[in-house]
Amino acid sequence: MSVDELSRAFRQHGRIVIVGASLAGLRAAETLREEGFTGSLTMIGDEPQEPYDRPPLSKQVLLGHMPADATPLPRRRALDAQWRLGVAATGLDLTGRQVRLADGEEVPFDRLLIATGTRARPWVKEAEADLDGVFVLRTSDDAARLNRRLTARPRRVLIVGAGFTGSEIASACRERGLEVTVAERGPAPLVGALGGVIGAVAAELQREHGVDLRCGITVTALEGDSAGRLTCAHLSDGTVLDVDVAVIALGAMRNTEWLAGSGVAAGPRGVACDAGCRAFDIHGIVTDDIFVAGDVARSPHPLFGYQFLSLEHWGNAVTQAEVAAHNMISSGPDRLPYLWVPAFWSAQFGVNIKSTGVPTMGDKLMITQGSLAEHRFTVAYGFQGRVIAAVAFDQARWLDFYRRLIETAAPFPLEFANVDRRPEGLRAVPSEFPDPSLPSHGPTVTLSGYSPSDRKVTFTPARM
Ligand SMILES: Cc1cc2nc3c(=O)[nH]c(=O)nc-3n(C[C@H](O)[C@H](O)[C@H](O)COP(=O)(O)OP(=O)(O)OC[C@H]3O[C@@H](n4cnc5c(N)ncnc54)[C@H](O)[C@@H]3O)c2cc1C
């Protein structure tokens, strides 16, 4: 059979398995059907629910504006898939082309999409994590539990980690009139994702909204009463805080453990794949039948020095899933490269934050519009004489313009004038990112080097 005939036969009768039935998994399945795949399609997901949307969990759901089970992802089309929900994949046999499930079943495939995303990093001491009153936020069940507890009006909520998720939770708590302490190891909120200059603005926002923000502080212990209920938290400066709710917001961990020993290049930073979303094996050779998409993927991007990027962005999960699905049923020249410019949004303390590009790569920044003091601005980040990222606070409509500057490697510092350019923004200043090896809430874009099979990265928890 010719390559074209093989490809046509696969489109008609092939077996595709998708592990991870959430945003990336669902969008990939829809694309497969949209593009004419009529073979068998199996969706494996360890959560019992049908695919749902996570961004509202830390926003509308925690504000009590919608129930946690009311965020199902809209369906673009009928799927005609076999759904295996509530059962985890526990292993992958590359040679035998089978996925092993927790219930012992083995599911054969011709092509596989890995879309297992991330999970919340748990509190490091298990016994303390089990206390009644200690929460994480990743799933709709997490959001339902936390929302119930917030509705019962706790005396004080402690949020451990001031990344995007921690800051959004703090914002929701303040909007509900709850007392909130945020403990952040770094010098400011959002510092790992946006750097110290913008972190200082985020700190002002939090304090202006009544958050008891404590930076340069770690939580050393959580303590409960004899009934196992959280009562207080010990901080590294010796303070003991009375709290009855603690939300651990220390970033995400990639769900790659089920791939251990499979031969796929999977590790703490995710599953490495090429720009066509095909997974690498541990020797750095690209596989032809295993694809990756979404939060669990790390893929090289020419705009960012071909470094592997791990992204925790909603838009990345959608776009990469669409490209991966297209490539799964296309051959050779019809395959597409995945060249999406990272983009992310957040809503907190009444401000709409949007980012494009890779801010963590930018060692300098310029305020190109508006002013930090007014909390309404756009900053451009530069790296090696070119624009690498931009972040807007309440000025999102300009970001497309900056995305084009990033795509065309426009020179940095930016010289153009505009009506909203102030004297403070005319020169580039250091963007003040902390040492990335220090554990914190984590950025939502991680540059994870050049090697597809690099599995050396380990997380060192804060010393307790
Ligand atoms: C609270 C919250 C707020 C957010 N807000 C924003 C925002 O404002 N803007 C933005 O851009 N992004 C936001 N995000 C990030 C965005 O939701 C993620 O980027 C997106 O969900 C990634 O989709 P995914 O399908 O790749 O992974 P996930 O959504 O993590 O889905 C992976 C699925 O695979 C399942 N799974 C894992 N292991 C296995 C296994 N072994 N077998 C079977 N199934 C498995 C998981 O349980 C999960 O259902 C937010 C995330 C959270 C949690």
Side-chain angles (χ1 to χ4, degrees):
M1 259 204 257
S2 71
V3 173
D4 279 352
E5 283 166 339
L6 276 173
S7 177
R8 219 169 305 124
F10 175 73
R11 276 172 168 260
Q12 283 171 2
H13 308 295
R15 296 166 303 175
I16 290 186
V17 169
I18 296 179
V19 183
S22 182
L23 180 61
L26 179 65
R27 292 296 176 245
E30 289 166 342
T31 307
L32 287 168
R33 290 302 190 211
E34 192 67 41
E35 295 199 11
F37 175 69
T38 53
S40 89
L41 182 56
T42 305
M43 306 282 294
I44 298 167
D46 61 359
E47 295 187 84
Q49 300 93 335
E50 299 241 327
Y52 59 87
D53 211 11
R54 294 179 205 273
L57 301 180
S58 54
K59 303 172 184 78
Q60 292 87 339
V61 171
L62 285 196
L63 285 169
H65 293 168
M66 62 159 61
D69 60 5
T71 74
L73 281 165
R75 298 290 181 94
R76 292 179 178 170
R77 53 166 299 126
L79 277 189
D80 185 21
Q82 285 93 51
W83 290 83
R84 298 296 317 269
L85 296 179
V87 58
T90 52
L92 169 63
D93 174 358
L94 266 190
T95 323
R97 295 194 186 190
Q98 292 193 326
V99 173
R100 259 189 317 281
L101 302 188
D103 63 7
E105 201 189 322
E106 309 216 304
V107 185
F109 63 83
D110 300 312
R111 290 204 177 135
L112 170 73
L113 178 70
I114 299 169
T116 44
T118 57
R119 62 185 182 277
R121 187 184 300 287
W123 182 239
V124 64
K125 297 179 189 171
E126 246 176 73
E128 296 178 9
D130 288 344
L131 288 171
D132 180 20
V134 180
F135 296 85
V136 292
L137 180 59
R138 178 78 202 172
T139 66
S140 84
D141 288 348
D142 295 337
R145 275 191 295 268
L146 180 55
N147 183 46
R148 265 198 303 278
R149 194 56 70 90
L150 298 183
T151 305
R153 304 208 65 78
R155 284 168 306 150
R156 176 168 293 276
V157 179
L158 168 67
I159 292 160
V160 187
F164 280 106
T165 305
S167 300
E168 287 184 3
I169 299 168
S171 170
C173 289
R174 286 307 299 143
E175 211 167 318
R176 294 177 80 149
L178 299 170
E179 295 302 322
V180 182
T181 298
V182 172
E184 164 57 42
R185 179 193 182 100
L190 309 185
V191 71
L194 305 182
V197 175
I198 307 306
V201 180
E204 270 172 29
L205 271 173
Q206 295 216 1
R207 293 198 168 110
E208 279 170 14
H209 284 80
V211 173
D212 168 30
L213 173 65
R214 307 197 185 190
C215 296
I217 289 283
T218 52
V219 175
T220 53
L222 298 171
E223 199 177 310
D225 62 15
S226 54
R229 278 184 303 250
L230 175 70
T231 54
C232 64
H234 296 258
L235 308 187
S236 54
D237 62 357
T239 312
V240 180
L241 269 184
D242 284 343
V243 290
D244 34 19
V245 169
V247 189
I248 311 303
L250 290 172
M253 298 166 75
R254 262 97 197 147
N255 292 318
T256 55
E257 292 81 356
W258 69 281
L259 295 164
S262 68
V264 169
R269 292 289 189 209
V271 182
C273 60
D274 72 357
C277 310
R278 295 178 301 178
F280 282 104
D281 74 10
I282 50 168
H283 306 294
I285 298 174
V286 79
T287 58
D288 216 26
D289 298 321
I290 315 291
F291 291 73
V292 200
D295 279 12
V296 76
R298 53 185 286 253
S299 58
H301 199 308
L303 272 179
F304 306 103
Y306 288 97
Q307 284 210 59
F308 284 85
L309 299 183
S310 311
L311 302 171
E312 296 170 38
H313 299 172
W314 192 94
N316 167 63
V318 172
T319 317
Q320 197 171 26
E322 290 168 350
V323 173
H326 170 87
N327 290 348
M328 286 176 93
I329 52 171
S330 304
S331 52
D334 295 332
R335 286 186 169 163
L336 297 171
Y338 176 60
L339 297 176
W340 188 69
V341 176
F344 180 84
W345 84 94
S346 170
Q348 49 186 273
F349 304 106
V351 175
N352 175 17
I353 302 174
K354 271 201 166 181
S355 149
T356 181
V358 179
T360 43
M361 215 167 162
D363 48 11
K364 294 245 169 64
L365 63 77
M366 302 184 83
I367 307 148
T368 49
Q369 291 174 246
S371 121
L372 299 184
E374 290 164 19
H375 300 167
R376 193 161 186 283
F377 58 83
T378 305
V379 298
Y381 292 75
F383 175 67
Q384 294 184 345
R386 48 177 281 227
V387 181
I388 204 84
V391 168
F393 273 42
D394 271 349
Q395 283 195 337
R397 68 199 175 109
W398 298 110
L399 275 202
D400 244 15
F401 166 75
Y402 289 90
R403 180 179 51 75
R404 283 195 296 277
L405 295 183
I406 298 165
E407 283 171 344
T408 51
F412 182 94
L414 285 164
E415 302 292 351
F416 63 80
N418 64 57
V419 284
D420 204 15
R421 191 114 188 223
R422 319 283 174 86
E424 75 200 73
L426 293 178
R427 70 187 174 87
V429 295
S431 44
E432 296 176 10
F433 280 97
D435 177 351
S437 68
L438 280 178
S440 175
H441 47 75
T444 57
V445 185
T446 310
L447 293 155
S448 49
Y450 298 96
S451 161
S453 52
D454 181 2
R455 292 187 295 163
K456 287 190 294 257
V457 182
T458 49
F459 176 77
T460 319
R463 218 173 289 129
M464 297 282 175

